[in-house]
Amino acid sequence: MTEQFLFCDSNKCTNCRLCIYACSFIKSKKFSILRSRIRVLDRDHKTFVAITCNHCEDTPCITYCPSKALSRNEDGIIVVDEEACTGCGWCIIHCPLGVISMDPDKRVVAICDLCDGDPECVKICPMDAIEIIEGKERYASKMHEIGLKIAGELL
Amino acid sequence: MGKGYMNRILRIDLSKNKFSTEKLPKKIYREFIGGKGLGAYLFYKEIKNRIDPLGPENKLIFTVGPATGTPYPTSGRYCLFYKSPLTGICANSNSGGTAAERMKRCGYDAFIIEGIAERETYLIITEDGVEFRSAADLWGKDAFETEEIIKKDLGREESTVLTIGPAGENLVKYAMIVNDKWRCAGRCGPGAVMGSKKLKAIVFNGYKDVEAHDPDRFYELSKEKIEESLKNITLWDSYHKYGTPVHYDNLAAEGGIPVRGFSEGYFDGWEKVGPDAIEEHLSVRHQACGSCPISCARLSRVREGKYAGLEIEGPEHELLFSFGSNFNIPDLGFIAACNDYADRMGMDCESVSHAIAFAIDAYNLGKLDPGFELKYEDQECVWKLMKMVTTRTGIGDLLAEDLRTMEKKLGMEGHAMQIKNLGFGGYEPRVMKGVALSYMVNERGGCYQKASMYLVDLFEMADPLSHDDEKFDLFVEREDIFTIADCFMLCKFIQDSLDMEDCADALKFLTGEEYEVEELMEISNRIQSILRLWNVHEGMSRKDDYLPKRCYEEPIPNGPAEGAIADREEDDRWLDMYYEHRGWDKDGRPDEKNLEEFLEGLND
């Protein structure tokens, strides 16, 4: 399968945070910040963007996990072996995006699994700001577009 | 009580630097739900009548609702009760942004802040309790700077800062509490209450989960309601697209925009500041409060002129009135700049606009001489006065007071356009009869927020001037549904697409409590009644429910609604009907014995 990515358009994101609740509900039946695998960054109350795991090529979370609980599956998704995870949080510290969360009850980490290709955050987003991007090339071109837009605003 | 609630409240005593956690009897949640209802109950119980609003006995009572922190659309608002230093009666303000969720995730349904701190203080509230910190270095900073400094110091994500600006510190009677820069508990002066308590800011930083009684059905219902709002013409095609100024064109066509201190009936150049002009000249992108699919707010950037480069959220409808039509200045750049200044200083735009217009009128009548010329259509005059208000310099000291004090001091009784000492919002009551009724009976004074009757005046009945009984019926119907939705702390915008059954459904899945529609109506009635009763104890009665003298004596001189005037007989008729509907006597007094007995019974 082609690798998939979640992409959020910062020109559309309004900081309504519905994606956070949708994610935590689907994964835990609770409306929770801690249990959500997606977060929304707020720069100065002016620019917002939802971020989640983007399956880095070089995966520091996997590299630094002392229990070998994390691995990458054939779709590129980072999978957590809940039996092996000790909840030490080492992967959270090493994640460059800060998008690994910990379930406070089970004390194991949780990483976006794209909801089997049908992500709840995409479904709930009222602005259609979050979408699934197929393939690394498309992901790169999307990021390129965003870069240009931000540069345009800065000029 | 069960799910949907955090089941405790937090009490903070600033005089003693202490805090404690309390539980409320289950029946109180059942009968008052949360948000405005719970706030009204706590307000009635906690805040004594006849106290000094700027003294240690006044309290700030923050509440959130059972849906706060869930995806139920527009549930991201908090409610605040206190005795108003501006009006001397019951005040409730509310605000959106990110605040409500962070409050609730600290683990409380309500926060009661009492006493006066010995020196300048700010509070950090988390799941672990309250930290009292010195605000000595923050005192004097504006609301934006304060938030930035605190957030930088704290270095924590998922926190919201509620703060006052210099206006609150200087006890400007209509100072606001500001969060997320542009979101404010605006009217009635909560910022002055905070200032009097030497409380500069409150940080909320919580991570607790919110749970539902039947999570699957509650989540499905929330999603359905989100979908519905995206398909709803009023919500999506109007409020989403244009925000609060959406009806400005219609309002201009009907002559409903207040102009030049409510002395004229046509705002020449209104289209230069209307929704299309905002869209064309200012808007950058949409922004939302927590859990809101509508995202009516917009980030705006002034692109040309004196204020080029300035970024704000807005301007909202009230700003078009406050710094546009009320001074007869159709200039979006100026409106945006005043908006920015008022938010930074933390003062209510509508009230400062009323105060300045009053001063200009006084100057024109020869009743006030500050040593410089005061006039409408003059940006410099507005700037000068606004800055004097912030620091209470010169005549700014008088303008920072309430309208009645200004009237008395300058010998202009009956001139201010207010009810119960709260200046009207941006709708002309002589033209908009439905809005006028909501000004008359709102417990906090001249405010239209309890029923958004402009929609009825402009569209549903399509006749602002009509005094039809149908309009009255729509008012009470809307007041009830708005009140119950306020118990969830939903936005006024979604309330139009909700009915009582929707509220009952949401409560059932969220809290497990089942309500009949009748019961919700009773709850709404009780909330109106206890707030009214509190005001009656402050000396309010029927005499305080009329429009000011000018509305009955001075017809609108020009414009589409030329000749429009208030009619005392019609107002009397509607007041009689309203009191009867609410079960109050002819003087507007609720049955005190009955209410007291009911409240007693809740503690069993």
Side-chain angles (χ1 to χ4, degrees), chain A residues 10-11 14 16-18 21-22 25 29-35 44-47 120 124 126-127 153, chain B residues 69-71 101-102 105 147 158 180-182 209-211 215-216 219 223 285 287-288 291-292 311:
Chain A
S10 59
N11 264 314
T14 64
C16 74
R17 297 161 67 84
L18 285 168
Y21 308 142
F25 170 78
K29 305 267 179 201
K30 290 174 181 168
F31 304 111
S32 168
I33 303 290
L34 295 178
R35 294 164 208 270
D44 214 17
H45 308 314
K46 288 177 182 171
T47 312
E120 192 63 21
I124 206 162
M127 295 296 288
E153 272 185 32
Chain B
T70 76
E101 179 193 359
R102 267 83 187 243
R105 292 196 191 283
E147 186 193 336
E158 299 295 341
D180 302 286
K181 286 190 170 170
W182 298 290
D209 297 343
V210 178
E211 294 185 51
D216 290 308
Y219 184 68
K223 268 177 54 168
R285 69 170 78 89
Q287 305 194 338
S291 303
C292 177
E311 284 187 327

Side-chain angles (χ1 to χ4, degrees), chain B residues 187-202:
Chain B
R187 305 219 69 193
C188 305
V193 178
M194 247 174 98
S196 73
K197 297 190 175 309
K198 297 204 185 73
L199 180 59
K200 177 69 180 173
I202 314 167

